Amino acid sequence: MSERLFLYIDILGFKDLVAKGFDIMSIYEKIDRLPAHSDEGFSCIVFSDTIVVYGDGYWLRHQNQGIMWLAEFAQHLFYNLISLDVHIRAYLTSGDFEHHKLKNLEAYYGEALVKCYEREKDIKSTGLFIDSKLLPYCDIFKTTEYDEHSHYVHVMQHLDEISWRHGMYPIPGICVSSTGAEWWLAYLLTYLRNTHKHANDISLPEATRLKHRNAWNMISQHHPGLTQTLEETDFNFREIVDIDWAEPLRRIGTEEGAWG
């Protein structure tokens, strides 16, 4: 068996999306654009609602970089699904994994795949998580402890630009518009609004609400002033950054948007 750096991504609520007649091809089109498909140092496998990405042997000798790239692959899909209000749960670890392309099929198996499948079921949250054993090599993304086995990875790095202390909002618009960050922040604030809405939607199953509630709590630990202000202002984005959000919000999910 060969040890690999290994990323496992699950599209949450896929069965319900199919049953409700959701445009499933719109999800696959975004999965099809993952940079992992064309990166020679990584291989990508897609089956049903699951995406697996693993690195070749080089990345075990350069784990900091390998973990950064795998996290960015998950981040890319996370961002691109915001416009569809579709959510992922992903787990980044290392372990033995084999992948062979035979004449009529592809064979893939190993400890890493089984571990991710089992661990992913135990994580009652949305978002990206990293195996605690790899934490020393995760030096690009900030993390928050979820349990003794894993940490939540904060992939929404642009939120750091508007993560101020409670009571300091709204942020003057020039602080954001001068860098053009509003086009990205429109997506991330929309994601926060959707997550909070799903966490409190009593029409949803409790298990679904719990996943969103735990994600909200992980984010709130890292951005307490921002999330508290969003709740207090009923997600009025202008109370966070004093700009006209109409155009950035209109562009979400379009070719003009930051992530389409």
Side-chain angles (χ1 to χ4, degrees):
M1 297 283 267
S2 301
E3 187 173 1
R4 316 277 192 182
L5 287 178
F6 194 88
L7 174 67
Y8 183 101
I9 306 174
D10 184 35
I11 304 296
L12 293 177
F14 193 77
K15 180 177 71 174
D16 291 337
L17 292 172
V18 173
K20 292 176 181 177
F22 190 89
D23 180 9
I24 299 298
M25 279 305 298
S26 66
I27 299 176
Y28 281 120
E29 286 166 359
K30 295 182 183 298
I31 295 173
D32 191 52
R33 295 200 295 267
L34 270 178
H37 294 298
S38 56
D39 194 310
E40 293 182 358
F42 296 91
S43 297
C44 186
I45 306 169
V46 179
F47 49 100
S48 186
D49 59 346
T50 300
I51 305 101
V52 164
V53 185
Y54 66 89
D56 60 27
Y58 172 87
W59 298 113
L60 280 176
R61 302 188 298 275
H62 303 85
Q63 293 195 59
N64 298 67
Q65 293 172 288
I67 287 168
M68 178 195 71
W69 284 115
L70 288 172
E72 288 188 354
F73 294 150
Q75 179 189 49
H76 184 277
L77 185 58
F78 172 92
Y79 285 160
N80 278 268
L81 290 175
I82 289 174
S83 62
L84 302 179
D85 194 12
V86 171
H87 300 262
I88 66 169
R89 181 170 53 225
Y91 195 66
L92 204 168
T93 188
S94 63
D96 291 331
F97 182 70
E98 292 286 347
H99 179 202
H100 302 283
K101 296 185 179 182
L102 306 181
K103 180 179 179 181
N104 296 307
L105 57 86
E106 295 187 29
Y108 43 88
Y109 57 92
E111 174 221 358
L113 181 60
V114 173
K115 180 179 182 180
C116 285
Y117 176 75
E118 294 297 332
R119 184 72 190 120
E120 192 257 355
K121 290 190 299 182
D122 293 334
I123 296 175
K124 309 301 181 184
S125 179
T126 67
L128 170 63
F129 293 80
I130 187 170
D131 192 325
S132 295
K133 72 178 183 180
L134 296 181
L135 202 60
Y137 306 101
C138 185
D139 53 8
I140 299 297
F141 292 88
K142 297 175 182 177
T143 63
T144 296
E145 183 177 7
Y146 178 77
D147 59 22
E148 63 179 317
H149 303 292
S150 56
H151 284 64
Y152 179 91
V153 181
H154 294 279
V155 298
M156 294 186 289
Q157 293 157 307
H158 281 290
L159 288 184
D160 291 338
E161 300 174 35
I162 57 169
S163 186
W164 291 23
R165 291 195 303 273
H166 182 256
M168 296 181 69
Y169 294 95
I171 297 170
I174 190 65
C175 295
V176 167
S177 60
S178 63
T179 65
E182 66 269 28
W183 311 110
W184 288 269
L185 289 169
Y187 281 75
L188 304 187
L189 290 172
T190 296
Y191 169 82
L192 291 177
R193 182 175 60 192
N194 289 342
T195 293
H196 189 271
K197 177 185 68 177
H198 297 322
N200 294 279
D201 185 351
I202 60 174
S203 70
L204 295 175
E206 171 57 25
T208 300
R209 283 185 284 151
L210 178 62
K211 294 183 182 74
H212 291 285
R213 189 159 61 244
N214 284 338
W216 179 263
N217 290 338
M218 292 287 102
I219 296 164
S220 294
Q221 288 184 49
H222 190 53
H223 304 288
L226 173 61
T227 54
Q228 182 178 348
T229 305
L230 283 169
E231 289 182 310
E232 291 174 348
T233 61
D234 195 25
F235 288 81
N236 182 345
F237 297 165
R238 192 148 197 167
E239 293 294 330
I240 301 299
V241 181
D242 188 16
I243 63 171
D244 184 355
W245 286 97
E247 183 61 16
L249 292 173
R250 184 196 68 78
R251 291 191 186 187
I252 292 176
T254 72
E255 292 184 0
E256 301 171 279
W259 293 295

